[in-house]
């Protein structure tokens, strides 16, 4: 239009030519310049009022402004003046077409004008296009319409509307060849980014023709023409989806949603793809977005129901029955809403039936489904259905689906539903109703195979129902299974069921062959392996347990789970096979107890009325030390057998239940459970006697054990009962009677090891080393059993400890480990003994604790704690090794076992150690202010720990309190420490150790205020230490007080007292500490230049004794400093100090001091060569203090 206007403006005097004026006016209209067009119209009407062009231009102006009445009038005037102009007739037809529905439908109006235009100009494609519109939309003559469109497109190939309409009508008329020819012609001539309509329609054609690759290419070409067309993206997604490109299709539909967020179809397809991919959670989210926009959109309701149904099936596979019930409730709700909208759709009723039947294998006590009241014909919002009602509802849904469409699949589903109903009614005792339902099931399945005899699944279902206990038609079952196999050769289920049928009829060989074929078809199918395991069990094969174990590895199945658990429990009950290779492989290497426990737990979750399964579960829980869970399992057995006729099993269940109640500390219930038995068998009597004993009713326990002794016939049982009686007597402080009873055990024909162990322990408890040693000698005459190794080692070590042979204690544990290196309990014991009896070997104790943890996870609770204690004894801190230190070890123990009070006490000690190391290294401690939190944690965890001795818990709490006070005092928080001590003494005044701590705190405050303490205070401190005369730390502290007051002789006497105590107590650390402190005291006197031979001799004596105990870097340093103080320039001085500085194995704190004194010695000797070597060593170790001293000495010289 712009070019036309410019060209017309170059013509001189256009006003003389009406055609030029009309063209200029049309150009203005095409450009949208209505004012200029109006001026041109007025000019033309004024200069040439009677020409057709003037009326035509005015008509075009009115047509553009949608003034169709005036446009009609002017076009008619133009036609009167020029009746041969096809364009006038065409636009008059357009005016009638858009004027209204009436003029569009009136044949004499628009249609007539288009027809005249076409007749006047056979090449006017637009006229033929609107004739096509008329025939298609008004006359509904698709054939003529297509002809007009084809003509229009042939005349003008750029007319996309005519071309698209011609193609669409050709496809509607099933003339796909014509449509494809048109599309191919257009696309072959089209340049890139054009002819979107043709690419899109050809892509749809290929998509319908299942030529997905060509469809994808055409849709991509269409998108190149218009990348923002959401419909094209949806079509491309459909193409990818149809050829299995789910991920790419998902991206396409996501792009379509971005372009058109209101498209429900796009969201639906995204949800459907995620459902296909198994992302049911994400699919549910997408479907719910649709439901928010359109509440009654049936495809989304159906998709939601299917997703929840599939999640329920997955949950059932994983034996998550509670989750499955929840999902089925959701599925039923959405399917119900769907059928309310479309009750005429058969598949919705079928899916609703599937959801109701899905929970057929779950225990009836777990199935409580709330459904919409309209589904069950109730005038309530929700109705709760139990399992039987839910199955019946499923049957009715299948029946409704069959009324709409009778198919073999629906008949089969209905038959299976009746089959599950029959099983449920048979379990409730209604046999007649069960038989009726089984007959209905059989007839339904026969109907399904009549409708489709080639489907192997229908034949298989028929065979299962035919061989059920209510029908027992084994011939029909065999026929059905064989037909199923013939219908589908790769039919593992059919072969397995045939094998089960043969096995049920005791045809072992045929059964084995059938299972073998099933295994070859699908080796991972668990049912055929269960069949082989049952055959092996029937024939007594040694591979039975291994086969059952393999079934649990392949997948969870109730039959395989119970079978494996049965064999594991049977193997565990036979104690004679503990040392066999078969036991080590089947039980130990295969981790059989844990594996059987897992599968049996799932079994009992689903089948809650099997007493034998719960009994085995309790037995396995006992082996795993899960006493509370074992008690619950045995309680379930008691409830199941309470009203049965088998009273013998009920008594056994009570016995097991009572034993576990006693084990978890519920003694009253245990006594009641044991009394519920007849108390005629020795096991029942001893069980109630043990419960009495644990309860503290010792006289009743003694009477019960006496009754058991009189009822016992076995020498072994008598020995055990006499041992128990002796323990009861000991608890009543009748030591002589206890010894007499234990001596009686020794004269029996079959004396028990337990009685000798008890006699030995009694000697230890009474500090009777002679009795303990004699009992131990008798015990050693018996062959050492594997299960008695730990007890024998513990008793022997305890006797050595009683005799004061500390090193022998550690060696005894080491010898036992050498003989039994795989026994984690022995490693744990060694780790426990080392810090107490031989702390010089604390690093070895750390290794022992780590090995115990590695060997057995059950030892972690104690082994981690013992490892941390050994690390404390060895002086490990994070400053030396951040990753392998006491704090890290005890933190791990606290994370794993937060219920262990000793762990929190250990954490308190570890934090105190870290803070102390920080003080020594002149660093700011990071773990301050935690003392009270740890003390509170120890007290809290001690509460309710009935299995822990009261003396142990009190000692632990007291130790934590003392440690907290020490930590607060060291941190300078003396007022808090004093308040804590005062509070403890108020609650329990008789605590000499706490009083000593209080005095230490107060003394520290006094020393800060005044250097010299009054004589009265010193006397009070001496009395306090005297009240703790066996405390090594007390005497050392008093010595330090004396030393601070300049009373070196008194300090020496206190150190000697502490040394004496350490020797008496065989305290290796205490002895070493006292010797070193004594040496340091004497060295300080020597450095003070006091002339006396006593103090140098004391330093030499103390350090020599310390080095005899173990290699001690500090002792060597003190010898060097003594030599330095006596004769600084001596060669011996340099030799000792160089040994400390240059030899490996000396800590940096010690080496730094030696380096400082060695530098002074070398400067005094003016030995520049050795000074350079020493300075280089100081630089290498970052010893700034020595380097600064070197600068000062060098400057001074």
């Amino acid at each position: 239009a712009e070019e036309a206007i410019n060209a017309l403006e170059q013509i001189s005097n256009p006003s003389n030519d009406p055609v030029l004026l009309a063209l200029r006016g049309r150009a203005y209209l095409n450009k949208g310049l209505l004012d200029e067009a109006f001026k041109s119209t007025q000019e033309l009407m004024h200069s040439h009022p009677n020409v057709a062009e003037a009326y035509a231009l005015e008509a075009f102006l009115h047509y553009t402004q949608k003034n169709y009445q005036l446009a009609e009038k002017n076009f008619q005037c133009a036609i009167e003046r020029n009746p041969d102009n096809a364009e006038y007739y065409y636009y008059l037809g357009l005016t009638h077409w858009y004027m209204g529905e009436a003029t569009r439908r009136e044949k004499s109006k628009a249609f007539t004008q288009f027809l005249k235009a076409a007749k006047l100009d056979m090449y006017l494609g637009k006229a033929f296009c609107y004739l096509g519109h008329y025939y298609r939309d008004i006359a509904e003559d698709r054939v003529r319409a297509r002809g007009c469109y084809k003509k229009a497109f042939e005349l003008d190939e750029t007319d996309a509307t005519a071309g698209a309409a011609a193609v669409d009508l050709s496809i509607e008329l099933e003339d796909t060849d014509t449509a494809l020819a048109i599309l191919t012609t257009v696309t072959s001539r089209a340049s890139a980014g054009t002819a979107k309509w043709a690419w899109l329609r050809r892509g749809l054609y290929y998509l319908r023709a299942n030529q997905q690759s060509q469809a994808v290419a055409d849709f991509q070409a269409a998108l190149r023409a218009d990348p923002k067309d959401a419909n094209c993206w949806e079509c491309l997604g459909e193409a990818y989806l149809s050829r299995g490109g789910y991920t790419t299709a998902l991206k396409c539909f996501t792009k379509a949603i971005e372009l058109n967020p209101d498209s429900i179809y796009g969201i639906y397809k995204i949800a459907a793809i995620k459902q296909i991919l198994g992302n049911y959670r994400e699919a549910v989210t997408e479907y719910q977005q649709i439901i928010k926009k359109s509440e009654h959109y049936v495809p989304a309701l159906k998709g939601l129901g299917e997703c929840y149904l599939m999640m329920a099936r997955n949950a059932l596979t994983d034996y998550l029955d509670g989750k499955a019930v929840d999902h089925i409730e959701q599925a039923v709700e959405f399917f119900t809403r769907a059928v309310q909208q479309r009750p005429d759709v058969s598949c919705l009723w079928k899916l609703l039936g599937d959801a109701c039947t899905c929970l057929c294998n779950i225990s009836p006590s777990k199935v409580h489904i709330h459904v919409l009241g309209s589904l069950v014909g109730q005038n309530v919002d929700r109705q709760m259905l139990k399992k039987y009602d839910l199955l019946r509802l499923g049957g009715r849904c299948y029946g409704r689906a069959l009324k709409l469409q009778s198919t073999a699949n629906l008949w089969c589903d209905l038959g299976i539903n009746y089959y599950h109903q029959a099983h449920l009614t048979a379990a409730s005792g209604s046999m007649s109703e069960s038989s009726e339902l089984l007959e209905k099931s059989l007839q339904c399945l026969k109907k399904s195979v009549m409708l489709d005899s080639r489907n192997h699944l229908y034949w298989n279902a028929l065979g299962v129902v035919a061989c059920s206990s209510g029908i027992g038609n084994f011939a029909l079952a065999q026929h059905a299974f064989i037909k199923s196999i013939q219908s589908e050769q790769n039919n593992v289920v059919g072969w397995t069921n045939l094998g089960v049928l043969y096995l049920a009829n005791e045809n072992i060989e045929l059964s084995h062959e059938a299972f073998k074929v099933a295994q070859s078809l699908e080796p991972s199918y668990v049912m055929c392996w269960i069949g082989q395991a049952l055959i092996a069990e029937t024939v007594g094969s040694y591979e039975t347990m291994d086969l059952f174990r393999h079934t649990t590895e392949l997948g969870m199945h109730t039959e395989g789970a119970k079978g494996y658990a049965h064999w594991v429990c049977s193997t565990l009950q036979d104690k004679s096979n503990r040392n066999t290779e078969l036991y080590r492989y089947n039980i130990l290497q295969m981790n059989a107890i844990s594996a059987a426990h897992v599968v049996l737990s799932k079994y009992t979750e689903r089948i809650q009325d099997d007493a034998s399964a719960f009994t085995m579960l309790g037995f396995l829980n006992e082996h795993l030390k899960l006493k509370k869970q074992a008690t619950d399992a045995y309680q379930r057995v008691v409830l199941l057998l309470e009203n049965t006729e088998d009273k013998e099993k009920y008594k056994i269940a009570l016995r097991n239940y009572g034993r576990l109640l006693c084990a978890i500390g519920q003694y009253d219930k245990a006594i009641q459970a044991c009394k519920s038995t007849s108390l005629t068998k020795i096991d029942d009597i001893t069980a109630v006697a043990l419960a009495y004993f644990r309860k503290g009713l010792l006289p009743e326990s003694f009477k019960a054990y006496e009754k058991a002794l009189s009822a016992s016939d076995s020498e072994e049982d008598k020995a055990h009962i006499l041992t128990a009686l002796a323990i009861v007597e000991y608890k009543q402080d009748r030591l002589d009677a206890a010894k007499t009873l234990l001596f009686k055990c020794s004269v029996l024909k079959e004396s028990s090891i337990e009685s000798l162990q008890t006699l030995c322990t009694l000697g230890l408890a009474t500090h009777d080393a002679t009795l303990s040693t004699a009992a131990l000698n008798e015990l050693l005459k018996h062959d050492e059993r594997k299960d008695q190794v730990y007890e024998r080692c513990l008793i022997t070590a305890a006797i050595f400890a009683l005799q004061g042979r500390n090193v022998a204690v550690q060696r005894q544990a080491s010898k036992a480990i050498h003989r039994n290196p795989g026994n984690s309990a022995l490693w744990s014991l060694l780790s426990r003994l080392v810090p107490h009896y031989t702390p010089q070997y604390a690093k070895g104790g750390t290794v022992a604790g780590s090995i115990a943890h590695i060997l057995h996870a059950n030892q972690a609770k104690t082994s981690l704690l013992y490892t941390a204690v050994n690390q404390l004894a060895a002086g490990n801190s994070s400053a030396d090794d951040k990753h392998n230190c006491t704090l890290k070890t005890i933190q791990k123990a606290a994370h794993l076992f937060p219920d262990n009070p000793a762990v929190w006490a250990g954490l308190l000690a570890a934090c105190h150690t870290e803070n102390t190391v920080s003080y020594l290294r002149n660093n700011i401690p990071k773990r301050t202010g935690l003392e009270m939190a740890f003390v509170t944690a120890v007290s809290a965890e001690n509460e309710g720990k009935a299995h822990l001795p009261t003396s142990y818990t009190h000692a632990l709490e007291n130790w934590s309190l003392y440690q907290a006070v020490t930590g607060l005092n060291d941190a300078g928080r003396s007022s808090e420490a004093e308040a804590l001590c005062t509070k403890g003494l108020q609650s329990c005044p008789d605590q000499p150790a706490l009083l000593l701590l209080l005095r230490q705190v107060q003394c520290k405050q006094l020393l800060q205020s005044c250097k010299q303490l009054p004589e009265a205070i010193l006397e009070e401190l001496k009395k306090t230490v005297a009240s703790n005369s066996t405390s090594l730390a007390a005497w050392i502290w008093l010595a330090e007080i004396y030393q601070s007051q300049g009373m070196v002789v008194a300090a020496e006497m206190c150190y000697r007292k502490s040394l004496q105590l350490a020797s008496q107590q065989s305290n290796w650390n205490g002895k070493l500490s006292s010797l070193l402190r004594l040496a340091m005291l004497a060295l300080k006197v020597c450095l003070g230049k006091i002339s006396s031979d006593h103090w140098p001799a004391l330093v030499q004596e103390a350090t020599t004794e310390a080095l005899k105990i173990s290699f001690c870097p500090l002792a060597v340093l003190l010898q060097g400093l003594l030599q330095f103080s006596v004769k600084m320039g001596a060669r011996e001085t340099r030799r000792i100090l160089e040994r400390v500085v240059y030899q490996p194995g000396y800590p940096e704190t010690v080496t730094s001091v030696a380096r400082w004194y060695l530098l002074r010695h070398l400067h005094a000797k003016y030995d520049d060569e050795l000074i350079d070597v020493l300075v280089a060593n100081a630089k290498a170790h970052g010893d700034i203090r020595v380097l600064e001293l070197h600068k000062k000495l060098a400057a001074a010289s």
Side-chain angles (χ1 to χ4, degrees), residues 18 44-45 48-56 77-78 81:
L44 183 59
M45 289 294 291
H48 302 88
N50 295 319
V51 297
E53 285 80 0
Y55 288 100
C77 292
R81 288 164 177 75

Side-chain angles (χ1 to χ4, degrees), residues 47 49 218 433 572 692 726 765 802 805 811 835 841 1139 1141 1171:
S47 60
D218 286 356
E433 185 181 356
L572 290 174
Y692 280 136
L802 183 63
R805 300 165 61 188
R811 288 179 178 173
Y841 304 132
R1139 174 184 168 191
V1141 171
I1171 289 174

Side-chain angles (χ1 to χ4, degrees), residues 900-903 905 938 942 951-961:
N900 188 357
V903 168
V938 172
N942 272 332
S951 57
Y952 170 78
T953 57
H954 285 170
L956 198 60
E957 289 182 14
N958 290 336
W959 185 91
S960 302
L961 179 63

Side-chain angles (χ1 to χ4, degrees), residues 478-493:
Q478 182 183 24
H479 171 72
F481 290 141
I482 292 173
K483 290 290 289 183
S484 175
I485 293 168
Q486 290 174 348
S487 301
E488 172 59 53
Q489 293 297 321
N490 189 18
N491 188 354
V492 63
V493 178

Side-chain angles (χ1 to χ4, degrees), residues 36-302:
E36 286 76 359
F38 178 73
K39 291 177 182 178
S40 298
T41 302
Q42 293 297 320
E43 184 181 352
L44 183 59
M45 289 294 291
H46 186 267
S47 60
H48 302 88
N50 295 319
V51 297
E53 285 80 0
Y55 288 100
L57 181 59
E58 188 171 1
F60 284 130
L61 178 62
H62 290 309
Y63 177 79
T64 304
Q65 295 174 338
K66 297 184 180 180
N67 297 325
Y68 296 121
Q69 299 292 339
L70 294 175
E72 179 187 18
K73 180 179 178 182
N74 282 284
F75 276 129
Q76 288 173 348
C77 292
I79 289 171
E80 288 175 2
R81 288 164 177 75
N82 187 2
D84 296 328
N85 192 317
E87 188 179 20
Y88 296 163
Y89 285 106
Y90 170 70
Y91 275 99
L92 180 58
L94 285 178
T95 302
H96 290 152
W97 185 263
Y98 292 111
M99 189 179 291
E101 188 67 23
T103 57
R104 187 182 303 171
R105 288 187 171 278
E106 189 176 343
K107 197 170 184 179
S108 61
K109 295 288 186 179
F111 173 73
T112 302
Q113 305 307 323
F114 289 139
L115 194 58
K116 286 181 181 180
K119 287 180 179 180
L120 288 171
D121 187 356
M122 295 296 293
Y123 297 100
L124 187 61
K126 295 182 288 184
F128 285 100
C129 182
Y130 273 90
L131 283 172
H133 290 342
Y134 177 83
Y135 283 124
R136 184 188 64 184
D137 300 332
I138 307 301
E140 296 183 355
D141 187 346
R142 293 185 294 174
V143 176
R144 288 187 177 182
R146 184 182 66 160
C148 292
Y149 284 132
K150 285 182 65 178
K151 182 66 176 177
F153 186 68
E154 288 171 359
L155 294 172
D156 184 7
E157 292 186 354
T158 63
D159 190 350
T161 304
V167 171
D168 293 342
L169 287 173
S170 297
I171 292 174
E172 287 181 21
L173 295 170
E174 298 182 356
D175 187 3
T176 55
D177 293 338
T178 301
L180 184 60
I182 295 172
L183 294 173
T184 303
T185 301
V186 175
T187 54
S188 62
R189 297 175 182 175
S191 58
T194 60
K196 166 189 161 184
W197 68 271
W199 291 112
L200 180 61
R201 280 165 175 76
R202 196 172 77 161
L204 291 171
Y205 167 80
Y206 284 135
L207 188 59
R208 283 191 291 270
N210 291 325
Q211 299 181 36
Q212 289 86 7
S213 298
Q214 293 89 331
V216 168
D218 286 356
F219 289 138
Q220 289 174 339
L223 281 170
R224 279 192 285 271
D226 186 4
K228 295 186 178 180
D229 188 340
N231 291 330
C232 285
W233 282 106
E234 287 181 353
C235 292
L236 181 60
E238 288 285 0
Y240 279 121
L241 182 61
S242 62
R243 74 176 189 180
Y246 299 113
T247 305
T248 313
L250 187 62
K251 293 178 181 178
C252 292
F253 283 114
T254 304
K255 181 67 176 178
I257 291 300
E258 291 176 3
L259 295 170
N260 183 14
D262 297 328
S263 173
I264 290 179
Y265 178 76
I267 301 175
Y268 171 74
K269 295 305 291 185
I270 290 174
I273 292 171
K274 289 182 177 179
Q275 181 181 340
I276 293 171
L277 294 173
N279 300 328
Y280 301 117
R281 293 281 182 190
E282 297 179 16
V284 165
T285 304
E286 301 293 342
Y287 282 131
Q288 286 174 343
Q289 287 186 20
I290 300 174
I291 298 302
K292 289 178 182 178
K293 295 181 179 181
S294 179
E295 185 178 357
H296 304 303
Y297 189 67
V298 173
L301 292 170
K302 174 176 173 288

Side-chain angles (χ1 to χ4, degrees), residues 706-913:
E706 283 188 326
K707 182 179 178 181
L709 184 62
S710 61
S712 173
D713 297 327
S714 167
E715 290 284 320
E716 184 179 0
D717 289 341
K718 286 182 179 180
H720 290 318
I721 295 170
L722 285 170
T723 303
L725 284 168
I727 294 172
V728 175
E729 291 284 36
Y730 171 75
K731 282 289 184 180
Q732 298 180 88
D733 295 328
R734 301 172 183 168
L735 299 181
D736 293 335
K739 291 179 182 178
T740 303
L741 289 168
L742 290 173
F743 287 139
K744 282 184 179 180
C745 294
S746 61
V747 300
L748 294 174
K749 293 181 180 178
E750 296 183 12
S751 60
S752 68
I753 294 177
E754 287 78 7
S755 63
L756 291 173
Q757 289 177 341
T758 306
L759 186 60
C760 191
T761 307
L762 180 63
L764 290 170
T766 57
H767 298 283
D768 188 345
T770 305
L771 177 62
S772 297
T773 306
L776 178 62
N777 292 333
E778 288 297 320
L779 184 63
L780 294 176
K781 293 179 181 178
H782 291 77
D783 293 333
E784 186 177 19
R785 300 197 326 241
K786 286 287 184 182
D787 58 341
Q788 296 286 341
V789 169
Y790 175 80
E791 289 79 3
R792 184 173 292 190
C793 176
L794 181 63
I795 291 172
T796 307
I799 293 174
F800 287 144
L802 183 63
Q803 295 170 347
R805 300 165 61 188
N806 290 358
V807 176
V809 173
Q810 176 261 320
R811 288 179 178 173
Q812 179 61 34
S814 299
K815 288 178 182 178
I817 288 172
H818 278 295
R819 290 193 296 269
N820 303 275
N823 192 322
S824 59
L826 290 175
W827 285 102
S828 182
L829 177 64
L830 178 60
S831 180
R832 175 185 173 187
L833 295 175
V834 164
H836 188 71
Y837 295 101
T838 53
Q840 64 268 35
Y841 304 132
K843 290 183 179 180
T846 303
V847 174
S850 302
I851 294 174
H853 187 196
I854 294 169
L855 286 176
H856 206 300
N858 288 344
Q859 295 290 342
K861 191 167 186 176
T862 54
S863 59
L864 279 174
L865 181 61
Y866 298 152
T867 301
V869 172
N870 278 282
Q871 288 175 324
L872 277 173
N876 289 358
S877 68
S878 59
D880 300 321
D881 188 349
K882 291 183 179 180
H883 304 290
N884 185 24
C885 62
T886 308
L887 186 61
K888 290 291 183 183
T889 305
I890 203 69
Q891 281 177 334
K892 184 177 180 181
H895 279 295
L896 292 174
F897 311 104
D899 60 333
N900 188 357
V903 168
W904 295 105
L907 192 54
L908 172 61
C911 290
H912 179 76
T913 301

